Amino acid sequence: MFKFIQKIRCYLSKSNPTNIVKFSFECRSCKNPINFPNANAFFIILGVLANNKYTKVIYEKNQKQGARGNQYRIEIYTMNVYLKQYLQINFTAGLGNQILCRVSCKEYIEYLINNFHVNAPSTYNLSPIISTQDKNLIRNTIQTKYPQYLTCFDLGFNS
């Protein structure tokens, strides 16, 4: 019952800060940009990404292997209904049997790092470098800047 009430509150958030939250991100490594239909979807996915049971942010030193450059990726370990709904078009292949798929959109990942305190691994260690998320740090950023979307973030985190 709690999740149902949380979902209703999230979708009833009426203000849409299109001038302060970015909803579209160009991706060189995949054919389609990431486009969120609204702020609710953006904050739901941010909640999912803050939950370490679903995802990790990594930094791959791909340049040594002949790629264009080093880059951040979001590795997805467990599929989630919201990930499928909002990010599936941007999934690239996973690795091995633990990583189901990845999101390799540099613009999106750097936006999350710079604006929402998503933990990014330092770029000077050995590759790949994995970082886990601090839910409270991300949540406090939302509480301060976008309190009307805290319910959406919680919905994604607890899904």
Side-chain angles (χ1 to χ4, degrees), residues 49-60:
L49 297 178
N51 189 328
N52 293 309
K53 80 177 181 184
Y54 294 117
T55 66
K56 299 273 187 289
V57 175
I58 68 160
Y59 184 79
E60 292 180 349

Side-chain angles (χ1 to χ4, degrees), residues 34 36 45 82-91 103:
I34 293 177
F36 291 100
I45 289 298
Y82 298 115
L83 289 172
K84 271 187 179 177
Q85 184 176 354
Y86 297 120
L87 287 181
Q88 186 169 23
I89 198 167
N90 299 95
F91 291 159
V103 175

Side-chain angles (χ1 to χ4, degrees), residues 104-121:
S104 303
C105 183
K106 177 182 177 182
E107 183 182 356
Y108 175 58
I109 298 168
E110 287 180 354
Y111 182 77
L112 297 177
I113 292 166
N114 295 328
N115 294 284
F116 294 96
H117 295 104
V118 167
N119 281 337

